[in-house]
């Protein structure tokens, strides 16, 4: 038994196996065969619907949706650890596909915890019933992302998107950018300022906004360098009216979003690990078959050393990921810090792993049809998804030393 399997329950092992079969049988052959498809500038048809339908068939699309609504229920005590196992396997096949699917899990966990019963009854069956149904979580704005992650809890750092309660409705105005599934989601969780006089931890509320709500415009699909099968989008809200009962959390929505972010960062690191594993597996295969100087590459010691470094980095990421996922499932006090640590550590280590993979593939490493450069592009995106490296590090130190590193860096009060 190797490190990947060690400590897994029977349920986790079986899920990992069926997910691996799905990736090996559907995803990887599709990515290799249709390597040009990610460059299509028609986002609607970039990823064939059959892939989502196949993911649905093996039950990995609706993880996080309660069983009573037809979702795939995981053992609650190890749910986040299982998310990590499945996210890694999907991303081993394609990072963008993993991005697409995990947003469903993450937002479902949020809705399960925060949405009133009648909204869960309305929306979960729709998520389950349509393999093309996607969810999105909209925080980032043109002038505000890192400040929200820290957060600087002062009025001047608050969200520019605002929501005002009028006559039984909330009227939302503003703009969100860089949103995963933002181009094609059917349902959006949107954060807006509802009290400009206080810091964002007290003055931010969250809402459910269905696609097609008048005043909501999907302004564009961003063409990203990696993870291209997830359609990242920009949204504009112009007097967008949602019923009063579409409010999820009033005032302290950012604090309550911890139920989304903690599993979210574990899943982020796990997808990242999947990209690294794909880079390692393909490189390990290549260096044992490709001959240069009369010998297969691995016989050249510099090549062997690089492979050892790749394997060591991945083992270290996996170990920290397990520790952090375990802490989240156990609701441990150091879970927040560990989540940020593994998110940052994975992004930097896997980026180096992908670089080694590209270098060990020589010229083939930079050819689009060979598929290794895709892993470098996919790995690069993780550095600033879910918070940049620097801001995530700041969050780590802030959670350790809240009274000094955690205090607002602006003028003394
Ligand atoms: C592929 C992808 C998917 C994404 N998905 C989502 C999503 O689903 N939902 C969502 O809401 N957002 C999403 N994002 C947004 C993502 O969270 C932000 O890109 C990220 O938080 C960084 O924000 P920014 O791009 O505005 O950079 P900025 O905040 O403008 O930062 C620019 C640089 O300045 C540094 N910086 C900024 N402020 C400070 C500070 N106070 N102290 C120190 N350094 C600072 C940063 O570290 C960075 O290096 C996604 C982004 C990408 C690329």
């Amino acid at each position: 038994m190797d490190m990947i399997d060690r400590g897994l329950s029977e349920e986790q092992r079986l899920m990992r196996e069926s997910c691996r079969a799905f990736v090996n049988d559907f995803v990887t052959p599709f990515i290799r065969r249709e390597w040009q498809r990610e460059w299509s500038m028609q986002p609607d048809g970039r990823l064939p619907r059959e892939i989502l339908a196949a993911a649905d068939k093996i039950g990995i699309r609706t993880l996080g949706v309660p069983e009573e609504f037809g979702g795939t229920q995981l053992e609650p005590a190890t749910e986040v650890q299982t998310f990590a196992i499945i996210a890694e396997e999907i991303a081993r096949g394609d990072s963008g596909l993993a991005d697409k699917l995990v947003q469903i899990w993450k937002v479902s966990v949020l809705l399960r915890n925060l949405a009133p019963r009648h909204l869960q009854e309305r929306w979960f069956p729709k998520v389950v019933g349509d393999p093309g149904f996607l969810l999105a979580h909209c925080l980032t704005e043109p002038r505000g992302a890192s400040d929200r992650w820290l957060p600087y809890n002062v009025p001047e750092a608050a969200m520019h998107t605002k929501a005002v309660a009028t006559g039984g409705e909330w009227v939302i105005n503003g703009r969100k950018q860089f949103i995963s599934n933002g181009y094609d989601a059917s349902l959006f969780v949107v954060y807006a300022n509802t009290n400009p006089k206080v810091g964002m931890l007290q003055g931010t509320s969250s809402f459910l906004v269905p696609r097609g709500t008048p005043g909501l415009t999907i302004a564009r699909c961003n063409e990203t360098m990696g993870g291209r099968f997830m359609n990242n989008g920009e949204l504009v809200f112009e007097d967008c009216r949602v019923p009063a009962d579409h409010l999820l959390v009033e005032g302290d929505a950012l604090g309550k979003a911890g139920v989304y972010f903690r599993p979210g960062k574990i899943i982020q690191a796990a997808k990242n690990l999947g990209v690294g594993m794909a880079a390692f597996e393909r490189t390990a295969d290549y260096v044992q078959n490709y001959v240069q100087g009369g010998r297969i590459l691995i016989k050249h010691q510099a090549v062997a050393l690089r492979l050892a470094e790749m394997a060591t980095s991945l083992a270290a990421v996996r170990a920290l990921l397990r520790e952090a996922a375990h802490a989240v499932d156990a609701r441990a006090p150091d879970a927040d810090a560990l989540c940020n640590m593994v998110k940052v550590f994975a992004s930097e280590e896997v980026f180096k792993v992908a670089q080694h993979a590209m270098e060990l593939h020589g010229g083939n490493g930079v050819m689009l049809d060979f598929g290794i450069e895709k892993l470098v592009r996919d790995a690069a995106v993780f550095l600033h998804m879910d918070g940049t490296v620097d801001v995530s590090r700041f969050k780590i130190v802030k959670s350790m030393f809240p009274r000094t590193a955690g205090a607002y860096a602006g003028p003394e009060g």
Side-chain angles (χ1 to χ4, degrees):
M1 185 183 290
D2 65 15
M3 189 175 177
I4 297 183
D5 275 329
R6 206 161 27 242
L8 301 196
S9 67
E10 193 53 25
E11 181 197 41
Q12 288 169 330
R13 215 185 318 277
L14 289 172
M15 285 197 77
R16 194 175 72 75
E17 270 166 28
S18 82
C19 189
R20 183 161 277 233
F22 159 68
V23 165
N24 289 347
D25 297 346
F26 283 93
V27 183
T28 305
F30 161 74
I31 298 286
R32 300 301 296 276
R33 190 178 61 242
E34 302 200 31
W35 61 268
Q36 288 161 315
R37 193 148 173 163
E38 67 167 315
W39 299 109
S40 160
M41 292 297 146
Q42 308 297 324
D44 297 302
R46 204 144 41 200
L47 185 76
R49 201 180 147 85
E50 303 88 81
I51 301 262
L52 288 179
D56 195 52
K57 223 178 221 161
I58 60 162
I60 57 170
R61 199 182 63 83
T62 54
L63 303 183
V65 175
E67 200 167 23
E68 60 172 313
F69 298 115
T72 308
Q73 182 86 36
L74 299 173
E75 167 58 41
T78 51
E79 184 181 48
V80 176
Q81 294 164 72
T82 310
F83 281 160
I85 293 160
I86 307 301
E88 176 193 336
E89 286 301 324
I90 305 170
R92 189 180 142 265
D94 182 68
S95 187
L97 172 65
D99 290 343
K100 242 182 163 99
L101 293 173
V102 302
Q103 282 309 99
I104 302 175
W105 314 349
K106 289 158 66 180
V107 176
S108 293
V109 169
L110 181 127
L111 295 181
R112 197 176 79 192
N113 281 283
L114 302 179
R117 176 82 193 168
H118 72 279
L119 290 181
Q120 297 194 31
E121 284 172 354
R122 185 176 321 158
W123 289 106
F124 279 136
K126 291 186 201 291
V127 177
V128 170
D130 173 7
F133 197 106
L134 299 176
L135 294 168
H137 190 257
C138 315
L139 266 166
T140 306
E141 301 180 340
R143 277 179 300 130
S146 297
D147 287 347
R148 311 289 156 57
W149 283 111
L150 289 171
Y152 284 150
N153 193 28
V154 289
E156 60 264 36
M159 295 215 164
H160 294 278
T161 300
K162 294 199 166 52
V164 178
T166 48
E169 292 177 324
W170 286 93
V171 184
I172 306 175
N173 278 286
R175 200 180 176 96
K176 298 287 174 184
Q177 72 176 8
F178 304 157
I179 306 302
S180 297
N181 290 343
Y183 179 75
D184 37 20
S186 300
L187 187 62
F188 303 86
V189 173
V190 178
Y191 292 76
N193 183 304
T194 46
N195 184 355
K197 295 198 182 79
V198 294
M200 73 182 86
L201 288 179
Q202 290 76 37
T204 306
S205 303
S206 57
F207 302 88
L208 260 193
V209 182
R211 191 184 191 86
T213 303
L216 164 62
T217 308
I218 312 298
R220 60 179 252 164
C221 179
N222 293 312
E223 293 301 338
T224 52
M225 69 181 281
R228 289 186 51 77
F229 286 112
M230 181 273 286
N231 291 329
N232 187 283
E234 311 266 336
L235 286 77
V236 176
F237 300 85
E238 290 165 305
D239 287 335
C240 176
R241 290 165 190 277
V242 293
D245 72 352
H246 279 45
L247 174 75
L248 292 177
V249 179
E250 185 165 11
D252 59 343
L254 285 175
K256 294 258 171 64
V259 291
Y260 171 92
F261 286 121
R262 278 186 291 274
K265 288 195 192 280
I266 297 297
I267 289 170
Q268 195 67 8
K271 284 185 293 166
N272 209 172
L273 179 59
V275 172
M277 290 303 292
F280 180 77
E281 286 171 9
R282 291 198 52 191
T283 307
D285 187 53
Y286 188 76
V287 298
Q288 292 179 84
N289 288 291
Y290 188 83
V291 175
Q292 191 61 262
R295 294 281 181 277
I296 52 172
L297 281 182
I298 200 167
K299 298 273 187 191
H300 302 291
Q301 287 173 345
V303 170
L305 295 184
R306 272 188 194 263
L307 207 62
E309 203 172 321
M310 291 168 78
T312 307
S313 290
L314 293 170
V317 169
R318 183 179 302 288
L320 184 55
L321 178 61
R322 269 203 190 149
E323 182 68 16
H326 198 270
V328 176
D329 275 330
R331 295 184 166 74
D334 58 349
D336 268 349
L338 282 164
C339 285
N340 280 300
M341 284 178 193
V342 71
K343 189 301 239 199
V344 171
F345 187 65
S347 68
E348 295 196 318
E349 290 303 300
V350 172
F351 192 52
K352 283 185 257 170
V353 166
Q355 185 187 348
H356 283 313
M358 188 166 71
E359 292 204 44
L360 289 179
H361 279 79
N364 283 329
V366 298
M367 302 305 165
L368 291 188
D369 60 341
F370 213 83
I372 289 297
E373 57 72 47
K374 174 180 182 296
L375 298 169
V376 181
R377 290 186 285 107
D378 287 345
V381 175
F382 286 91
L383 294 164
H384 49 266
M385 259 174 116
D386 259 39
T388 64
V389 165
D390 290 344
V391 166
S392 302
R393 284 213 176 95
F394 193 32
K395 278 184 76 74
I396 294 166
V397 81
K398 186 180 156 174
S399 67
M400 297 168 82
F401 306 105
R403 279 144 66 87
T404 48
Y408 180 43
E412 296 279 343

